[in-house]
Amino acid sequence: MNAGNIIVSFSTLYKSKEVYYLIAKPISFTKIFLIKFLDNFFYSSTTMLLMISAVMLGYSTYFKIDFFFVIFFFFLMLLPFMLIAASLGVIFLMFMIRISYKIGLKKVIAGLIMLYLIGLLLFFKSSNPISIVEQVMVFYPNINGYFGSLDNPMLKFLPNFWIADSLYWFSAGKSMNALPYIGLLLGTSLMFLIAALFTAKKLYYKTWLESFELKIKNTRPKERINSKQIFNNKSFFTQQIDVLLKKEFLQFFREPGQWIHLSVIIFLIAIFIVSLGGIDEGLLNAYNYSLRAIIYVV
């Protein structure tokens, strides 16, 4: 689950005009939720699905794995993995709206930011890549098996660990060892999808109504700025490009989901840059390029 899932889900499930239309029809709220959930899932995940599929093509080519493995990976590993995150995101969103209605939106947002920061700190503290590399180098050059054994034991319960281990066994030519992890992915994704549908049956319509009340409570009357003035300002670009850029700028900041999503990405990039700055350069130079890449990626 990530912040992007929640932001995009809110726009699709609660702000979409199509939802207004569907609710006025004799359709159950659970079916409406399922329709918009799948719409949101494939709409928001298309780019990532294409990128990961391209990476997997390179992976299968490098390790000389059959091309059908990419199709197998896409449907039986990648889609379930992303479905888990999407289902968790919408469940969390419904409970977040419910709690916001009870205690206030600002308190919930402040609490979530604190929990998110604490979670990041605990994650980086519990899985320090430099300490893992230092411990593994004791067994150099036989390091393949030790990276997995020195990971935090809690990481083995995460879906990304199941995918990573599955890919390792496929690349090692021992595909049967990957089947339990694939089974875990499929079972967990189905379980969370059912949980999302059950939660929607109980809370979706309530939270949909409450989202309107939250919007009214947190909207303050303010003087409307005439956005047309921006088009009268001079620019270095040609008239057509200038109008297009300004239109996109106004549309981007008019939609809270867009700039919140951007803020989250910038925040994560900043954490990555700061963490790189804290790595001892002398320590990195002691290892080869492969181990440096592991430190950077982890």
Side-chain angles (χ1 to χ4, degrees), residues 10-82:
F10 180 75
S11 298
T12 307
L13 293 169
Y14 292 94
K15 297 182 67 178
S16 171
K17 292 183 179 179
E18 187 180 357
V19 175
Y20 304 160
Y21 172 78
L22 292 173
I23 283 181
K25 301 297 178 182
I27 307 173
S28 69
F29 301 119
T30 307
K31 288 183 179 178
I32 295 173
F33 170 83
L34 181 60
I35 292 168
K36 297 307 295 178
F37 172 76
L38 293 175
D39 177 25
N40 170 64
F41 176 72
F42 287 106
Y43 171 75
S44 62
S45 305
T46 302
T47 303
M48 183 172 289
L49 289 171
L50 290 174
M51 289 178 62
I52 295 177
S53 298
V55 170
M56 289 311 301
L57 281 172
Y59 180 90
S60 61
T61 303
Y62 180 82
F63 287 104
K64 297 180 174 57
I65 303 174
D66 195 278
F67 170 76
F68 290 102
F69 167 75
V70 178
I71 301 173
F72 175 86
F73 170 82
F74 185 88
F75 287 103
L76 295 181
M77 296 172 67
L78 181 59
L79 282 180
F81 173 74
M82 299 187 71

Side-chain angles (χ1 to χ4, degrees), residues 11-294:
S11 298
T12 307
L13 293 169
Y14 292 94
K15 297 182 67 178
S16 171
K17 292 183 179 179
E18 187 180 357
V19 175
Y20 304 160
Y21 172 78
L22 292 173
I23 283 181
K25 301 297 178 182
I27 307 173
S28 69
F29 301 119
T30 307
K31 288 183 179 178
I32 295 173
F33 170 83
L34 181 60
I35 292 168
K36 297 307 295 178
F37 172 76
L38 293 175
D39 177 25
N40 170 64
F41 176 72
F42 287 106
Y43 171 75
S44 62
S45 305
T46 302
T47 303
M48 183 172 289
L49 289 171
L50 290 174
M51 289 178 62
I52 295 177
S53 298
V55 170
M56 289 311 301
L57 281 172
Y59 180 90
S60 61
T61 303
Y62 180 82
F63 287 104
K64 297 180 174 57
I65 303 174
D66 195 278
F67 170 76
F68 290 102
F69 167 75
V70 178
I71 301 173
F72 175 86
F73 170 82
F74 185 88
F75 287 103
L76 295 181
M77 296 172 67
L78 181 59
L79 282 180
F81 173 74
M82 299 187 71
L83 192 60
I84 292 171
S87 301
L88 270 174
V90 294
I91 292 172
F92 189 82
L93 175 63
M94 285 186 278
F95 279 108
M96 189 176 75
I97 293 175
R98 194 85 175 112
I99 296 170
S100 299
Y101 182 75
K102 298 289 185 182
I103 66 173
L105 182 61
K106 292 181 180 179
K107 292 180 181 178
V108 172
I109 292 176
L112 289 175
I113 291 173
M114 290 298 296
L115 287 174
Y116 192 72
L117 292 175
I118 292 171
L120 282 176
L121 290 173
L122 291 175
F123 174 78
F124 286 121
K125 189 174 181 180
S126 63
S127 58
N128 189 331
I130 296 179
S131 64
I132 293 176
V133 169
E134 287 177 337
Q135 295 176 65
V136 167
M137 286 305 294
V138 176
F139 306 100
Y140 187 83
N142 303 311
I143 61 174
N144 286 342
Y146 295 99
F147 273 110
S149 62
L150 291 174
D151 267 336
N152 190 313
M154 295 301 296
L155 297 179
K156 296 181 180 180
F157 296 97
L158 299 178
N160 57 330
F161 179 88
W162 304 338
I163 282 192
D165 257 31
S166 299
L167 293 177
Y168 170 76
W169 290 119
F170 276 115
S171 64
K174 300 178 180 179
S175 56
M176 294 302 294
N177 291 346
L179 293 182
Y181 295 108
I182 296 172
L184 278 173
L185 277 170
L186 292 171
T188 306
S189 64
L190 180 61
M191 181 182 69
F192 277 109
L193 178 60
I194 293 172
L197 291 173
F198 178 79
T199 307
K201 186 177 181 180
K202 299 291 184 182
L203 295 180
Y204 178 53
Y205 184 60
K206 289 181 182 178
T207 53
W208 186 76
L209 294 175
E210 289 168 354
S211 67
F212 282 102
E213 296 191 35
L214 283 171
K215 183 178 180 180
I216 294 170
K217 288 180 182 178
N218 293 279
T219 301
R220 296 180 180 178
K222 57 183 179 180
E223 184 180 351
R224 186 177 179 85
I225 300 174
N226 187 6
S227 59
K228 293 181 180 179
Q229 293 177 356
I230 193 174
F231 292 98
N232 296 326
N233 298 332
K234 294 183 179 180
S235 172
F236 297 103
F237 302 103
T238 62
Q239 186 175 6
Q240 291 83 357
I241 296 176
D242 180 58
V243 170
L244 181 63
L245 290 175
K246 290 175 179 178
K247 178 186 75 71
E248 293 296 330
F249 175 82
L250 292 173
Q251 286 183 337
F252 180 83
F253 285 99
R254 185 179 63 185
E255 176 58 47
Q258 299 284 355
W259 54 263
I260 292 174
H261 213 155
L262 176 64
S263 302
V264 172
I265 293 173
I266 292 174
F267 173 71
L268 294 175
I269 292 173
I271 290 178
F272 178 73
I273 293 172
V274 171
S275 64
L276 288 183
I279 298 176
D280 186 359
E281 186 177 351
L283 181 64
L284 284 179
N285 291 332
Y287 303 123
N288 60 32
Y289 291 107
S290 299
L291 293 178
R292 288 189 216 174
I294 291 171

